[in-house]
Amino acid sequence: AIQLTQSPSSLSASVGDRVTITCRASQVISNYLAWYQHKPGKGPKLLIYYVSSLESGVPSRFSGSGSGTDFTLTISSLQPEDFATYYCQLFNNDAYTFGQGTKLESK
Amino acid sequence: EVQMVESGGGLVKPGGSLRLSCAASGFSFRGAWMSWVRQAPGKGLEWVARIRSKIDGETTDYGAPVKGRFSISRDDSKDKLYLQMNSLKTEDTAVYYCATEGLASQNNWGQGTLVTVSA
């Protein structure tokens, strides 16, 4: 089975910072790569699908890119509400796989 | 407004059974593909199961850890999604979320219901 490895596992940043989270697949994958934001006590929120398509209503400071085995989520200018855990997700062979998550904390 | 409300969680002994429900509103449930996703305490997200719409065959897919023990189903007349969980193990302890399927992703989520499997 294809595995997704996110880096870093945790990250400290300040409001206004540019933040990049990486998701690496154990083999070349299709473009069925999504990113989610998850806050405690709430359901996850879809940010990006198909590697780089921004979900409706998601601020444009969020962007996704990549191909092959390496993918990134970038937050161009961190806002206070962006502190959360972020997950990448792959859809392959009628099943979904998540990365282990990246916890973004306030410095 | 799209809304999903999960229910049916609770404490159950290992080997026991539990049925979760998800009440959907604000969208055409009968045309939607639906998934269950879980998060164990202190762990990441794990996809559990998916069901297609009736018009797409109402077929199902499962994650490896639950295949053969869990069953996803739907009642379009009630706008409800279900997850029947049998032969529960301690490692099934988690918050369970229902979600609508988008484009190779889950685009609307409920708040979750906690299932605790413990003796």
Side-chain angles (χ1 to χ4, degrees):
Chain A
I2 301 174
Q3 295 185 349
L4 298 179
T5 302
Q6 292 182 227
S7 59
S9 295
S10 63
L11 175 60
S12 294
S14 301
V15 172
D17 284 353
R18 180 181 181 89
V19 170
T20 298
I21 298 169
T22 296
C23 178
R24 176 163 287 173
S26 57
Q27 63 190 74
V28 173
I29 63 174
S30 65
N31 287 339
Y32 294 154
L33 196 287
W35 289 94
Y36 298 85
Q37 177 191 70
H38 193 199
K39 296 180 178 180
K42 295 189 172 184
K45 177 183 178 181
L46 176 65
L47 301 174
I48 302 284
Y49 61 95
Y50 286 176
V51 176
S52 59
S53 294
L54 193 67
E55 173 69 356
S56 176
V58 173
S60 59
R61 63 180 179 273
F62 292 93
S63 64
S65 64
S67 64
T69 60
D70 295 323
F71 300 86
T72 58
L73 173 71
T74 299
I75 309 173
S76 60
S77 178
L78 198 62
Q79 298 302 301
E81 61 267 30
D82 299 337
F83 293 106
T85 301
Y86 292 83
Y87 295 90
C88 58
Q89 180 201 48
L90 166 68
F91 178 66
N92 183 62
N93 287 341
D94 289 326
Y96 291 93
T97 302
F98 286 93
Q100 84 279 14
T102 295
K103 188 172 185 178
L104 178 54
E105 298 175 305
S106 178
K107 187 182 289 183
Chain B
E1 179 192 4
V2 173
Q3 191 170 16
M4 271 83 68
V5 179
E6 303 90 340
S7 61
L11 175 63
V12 61
K13 288 182 167 51
S17 298
L18 205 60
R19 189 176 85 152
L20 305 184
S21 299
C22 170
S25 60
F27 65 101
S28 174
F29 181 79
R30 66 178 59 250
W33 295 21
M34 301 293 296
S35 269
W36 287 97
V37 177
R38 68 184 181 183
Q39 183 179 35
K43 303 292 186 182
L45 299 171
E46 180 182 37
W47 174 75
V48 173
R50 179 177 75 166
I51 187 167
R52 296 168 181 78
S53 61
K54 186 171 185 177
I55 198 170
D56 290 313
E58 213 166 307
T59 51
T60 58
D61 301 294
Y62 296 92
V66 307
K67 205 165 189 177
R69 300 187 299 122
F70 289 14
S71 178
I72 186 173
S73 62
R74 62 192 298 156
D75 185 340
D76 292 345
S77 69
K78 296 181 179 179
D79 288 352
K80 282 197 169 181
L81 178 72
Y82 302 101
L83 185 68
Q84 177 67 42
M85 305 185 294
N86 299 328
S87 303
L88 281 161
K89 306 175 181 180
T90 55
E91 53 262 42
D92 295 319
T93 294
V95 174
Y96 285 74
Y97 300 96
C98 70
T100 58
E101 287 280 302
L103 297 171
S105 58
Q106 287 82 40
N107 56 0
N108 292 288
W109 297 67
Q111 300 271 53
T113 186
L114 176 63
V115 172
T116 303
V117 185
S118 174

